[in-house]
Amino acid sequence: MDNHVLSVNNITKRIGKKEIIKGISFRIDKGEVFGFLGPNGAGKSTTLRMIVGLLRPTSGNIAICGHSITKNFIKAMSNVGCIIEEPDLYNYATGMKNLEMLGYMSKNISRKDIMDAVELVGMEKRIGDKVSTYSRGMKQRIGLAQALLHNPKLLVLDEPTNGLDPQGIFEFREMVKDLASEKNISVLVSSHLISEIQLMCSKVSIIKDGLVVKTGAVNDLVSSSEVYWVVDNLEKGKLIMKERFKVNAKIINNRLEAVIGLNQLEMVNASLVNEGLKLKYVNSKSKTLEELFLSLTENQKIT
Amino acid sequence: MMNQLIQNEVSKILLKKKMVLISVLLFLFIGLFSYGEKYTYDKTISRFEKITEDTSYDWKSLASQQMMELEKRLESPYIHEMGLKSIEIQIEQMKYFIENNINPITPSSARFSVDFVENAIIMFIPLMIIILASDLVSGEFSNRTIKVILTRSVPRWKVLLSKYIALLMMTTMVVLMIGAISSFVSFFFFRVWGFYEPVATGFKLINGELDANSVIMVNRMEYMVLIYSLAWFVSIAIASITFMISVLVKSTAAAIGIIMAFLIGGQFLQFFLSDWEIIKYFFVSNLNLTKYLTGAYQQIEGMSMKFSIMVLAIWSLVSIVISFVVFTRKDVLA
């Protein structure tokens, strides 16, 4: 029995002859906001659809709060709320009617639960109007309300800010952050926007061509920096870095270059000096998530 | 739980104002037809009065007048074989009516509502059902709300079952509405209810000849219940088949196109390829259940009420099974 809110184990998905997802695994803990970053067509949406049971994985398994999505769909899904792509609603009905209809689809949802969700997203005033009269931002709010109706432990959001204006994006982001911190809901959010993930998430997986290329805490990923040293003995310096810090340094333009965490930098410098190297110059260039993303996902071809 | 899911589906149908659309269409066409029938009846009377210069007519003299007209048409050199047989059968029936004192002429509300269904059963009623059923599932795909309802903690078969039950309920409603609207609207024109008139039913065709030995007499009311039950059965079959198509395709327009092509194409097939054995197993060839009661001319040999009901039942069952199998396994990419 694992305690993760969501655990995805080596899932693959083949559609037709093409393998879209080639084996993705990750876990989300309670209250964690987990980002899923990748260029368009990397398989973000497909993975998310498998997690919410819209697609059946070709192999591998997914468990939500310990319940397998394929073997125990009902129990697994009662812990998940989601917005997949657009917040699609019945345009011919009012916001309230939409929520009531979806409320009937879960057990024990009272009118008060519905009103609470409406209040949470700040739609009290327009809830009696037809959805066809709503703006994009309002639809997104109702979308969030329907995802939260049954008090899920996991919120899955697929490209949630697509088509929202800057104000809408900001409000939506704050709402999601509040949910995670106040209600202790775990959130899985996918996006191709780096700033989005950087501002919202605590942990991120970067995926490309159906594979996870890197997973880590956003802070770690952002604070790793590209450092170069100018020392008298480059080969020796390279050896020290490899043996003591397991860092693969490169010799470029008569200087030593490596990517290391900023917290390691002082220790590396001290060792170099202790080993008798003459350290002439050290410079570090902080790498942004954007640069990391671009360097990991470059050479993208449509296959 | 199930009750609430069905309630959801019913309110979706109602919110889309489909029942309103169907009632408007019914009022329009029933109004038009009953006005038309009133008009022809008035014309028959005035022609009769002109020919015989007799204003104290009864239905028997009108009926024999009509029989004479039919006989005259038989002598026409331009008539083709099918029409010939159909007219011969009509004359035989007319003879039977006069001999047995059954009024086939004076229009009444009850007669109209039966006649309407007998004529509407192959096309008009199926169309009304298609309005209801065609977007039931495909509509959820085209406006992409399918993602929202399939990610709740409800198994897919329950979602589909609630839709099917809601469809059956609404189909039943439509058949009842046809009965009510056709009775009331036509009463407005004819001013005669006629629910207790006698009706002769159970004419059989043996080798293309009318056989009156198995005829039984019932009153209009009982006959109406019988005819409407048949119409209801046909509607359920059409609803089930349309439902399956709605599951199989993702666009409502495609669903409507496909079922309409079946309906219209099927009528063509039975007309042109009536010798081809396999045509009688096609559901469209079996929609006209009421013709087995009235003894109308049949294009395809070897079909009976029992046969048609079996064929429709099998088509419906297979449709439901396919719908459930496909829907519960479908990958939702919309």
Side-chain angles (χ1 to χ4, degrees), chain A residues 93-188:
Chain A
T94 63
M96 192 64 195
K97 184 79 196 172
N98 267 283
L99 293 180
E100 274 174 5
M101 288 202 283
L102 294 169
Y104 283 152
M105 300 187 82
S106 306
K107 283 193 182 99
N108 307 323
I109 289 189
S110 64
R111 202 162 169 90
K112 194 180 167 295
D113 293 322
I114 297 178
M115 283 324 291
D116 285 349
V118 171
E119 219 168 289
L120 190 75
V121 297
M123 280 292 290
E124 302 95 317
K125 282 189 182 142
R126 295 288 305 274
I127 198 68
D129 294 348
K130 274 197 180 169
V131 171
S132 51
T133 66
Y134 287 177
S135 72
R136 185 61 216 261
M138 291 193 238
K139 280 185 193 167
Q140 189 65 284
R141 282 161 187 258
I142 298 289
L144 193 58
Q146 65 81 22
L148 293 170
L149 270 186
H150 48 293
N151 291 315
K153 296 196 175 73
L154 174 69
L155 194 57
V156 177
L157 306 169
D158 187 12
E159 309 264 351
T161 54
N162 265 5
L164 290 182
D165 57 19
Q167 179 70 20
I169 293 177
F170 176 77
E171 284 171 359
F172 190 78
R173 190 196 300 140
E174 293 308 304
M175 249 187 267
V176 171
K177 275 179 160 174
D178 286 352
L179 282 171
S181 60
E182 283 164 26
K183 293 200 159 191
N184 218 4
I185 296 177
S186 311
V187 184
L188 171 60

Side-chain angles (χ1 to χ4, degrees), chain A residues 13 49 52-56 73-74 77-78 82 84 88-90 92-93 101-102 104-105 146 150, chain B residues 1 4 8 12 15-16 140 143-145 147-156 331-334:
Chain A
K13 177 71 186 174
R49 277 163 190 265
V52 297
L54 289 175
L55 300 180
R56 202 179 277 260
F73 182 79
I74 310 297
M77 286 315 291
S78 61
C82 64
I84 298 295
D88 292 301
L89 302 157
Y90 298 101
Y92 48 78
M101 288 202 283
L102 294 169
Y104 283 152
M105 300 187 82
Q146 65 81 22
H150 48 293
Chain B
M1 183 78 160
Q4 289 177 320
N8 274 356
K12 282 181 209 167
L15 281 166
K16 278 187 264 185
E140 302 269 7
N143 61 23
R144 295 188 303 272
T145 40
K147 300 177 307 201
V148 185
I149 54 172
L150 292 188
T151 52
R152 320 298 305 188
S153 50
V154 178
R156 288 193 184 184
D331 271 348
V332 181
L333 290 161

Side-chain angles (χ1 to χ4, degrees), chain B residues 41 44-45 48 52 54 56-69 93-106 111 198:
Chain B
Y41 177 65
T44 315
I45 288 173
F48 181 80
T52 58
D54 181 5
S56 61
Y57 54 88
D58 66 352
W59 67 265
K60 266 191 185 167
S61 33
L62 284 172
S64 23
Q65 167 79 18
Q66 228 168 50
M67 207 164 85
M68 265 152 59
E69 276 172 24
Q93 272 185 333
M94 202 62 105
K95 266 188 200 150
Y96 183 89
F97 288 140
I98 296 170
E99 276 164 21
N100 290 277
N101 214 17
I102 301 164
N103 179 352
I105 302 282
T106 321
R111 188 212 303 284

Side-chain angles (χ1 to χ4, degrees), chain B residues 26-243:
Chain B
L26 285 177
F27 267 107
L28 202 74
F29 281 91
I30 288 170
L32 219 62
F33 286 138
S34 39
Y35 173 77
E37 201 163 313
K38 171 80 175 150
Y39 179 80
T40 24
Y41 177 65
D42 288 346
K43 234 175 144 181
T44 315
I45 288 173
S46 64
R47 198 167 56 216
F48 181 80
E49 282 171 347
K50 216 185 254 169
I51 297 169
T52 58
E53 287 168 357
D54 181 5
T55 48
S56 61
Y57 54 88
D58 66 352
W59 67 265
K60 266 191 185 167
S61 33
L62 284 172
S64 23
Q65 167 79 18
Q66 228 168 50
M67 207 164 85
M68 265 152 59
E69 276 172 24
L70 282 174
E71 273 165 357
K72 231 179 257 168
R73 268 174 64 193
L74 271 186
E75 287 153 19
S76 154
Y78 303 112
I79 199 157
H80 64 285
E81 204 200 339
M82 265 185 205
L84 202 77
K85 277 211 175 132
S86 162
I87 291 172
E88 274 172 359
I89 292 166
Q90 281 179 39
I91 293 172
E92 285 298 308
Q93 272 185 333
M94 202 62 105
K95 266 188 200 150
Y96 183 89
F97 288 140
I98 296 170
E99 276 164 21
N100 290 277
N101 214 17
I102 301 164
N103 179 352
I105 302 282
T106 321
S108 74
S109 156
R111 188 212 303 284
F112 177 85
S113 57
V114 165
D115 283 354
F116 181 77
V117 168
E118 283 173 356
N119 288 300
I121 201 165
I122 55 168
M123 201 44 116
F124 190 74
I125 296 178
L127 277 182
M128 297 299 114
I129 305 304
I130 290 171
I131 293 180
L132 274 183
S134 57
D135 74 337
L136 222 52
V137 180
S138 63
E140 302 269 7
F141 275 95
S142 32
N143 61 23
R144 295 188 303 272
T145 40
I146 189 78
K147 300 177 307 201
V148 185
I149 54 172
L150 292 188
T151 52
R152 320 298 305 188
S153 50
V154 178
R156 288 193 184 184
W157 66 266
K158 266 192 188 173
V159 173
L160 196 66
L161 185 63
S162 66
K163 281 184 179 292
Y164 187 65
I165 293 174
L167 175 62
L168 294 188
M169 286 164 60
M170 288 296 120
T171 302
T172 310
M173 268 300 287
V174 169
V175 175
L176 292 176
M177 267 164 57
I178 294 173
I181 295 176
S182 61
S183 302
F184 287 110
V185 171
S186 61
F187 179 77
F188 174 79
F189 287 104
F190 306 144
R191 304 282 159 184
V192 183
W193 287 113
F195 282 117
Y196 295 102
E197 284 173 8
V199 184
T201 180
F203 288 101
K204 264 191 188 152
L205 287 183
I206 297 171
N207 300 325
E209 300 286 322
L210 195 73
D211 175 35
N213 287 328
S214 55
V215 167
I216 46 164
M217 301 289 269
V218 292
N219 71 35
R220 268 273 166 218
M221 186 82 115
E222 290 163 327
Y223 189 58
M224 216 171 135
V225 171
L226 179 62
I227 291 283
Y228 273 82
S229 311
L230 293 177
W232 178 76
F233 182 76
V234 168
S235 304
I236 298 289
I238 292 287
S240 309
I241 294 165
T242 314
F243 188 70

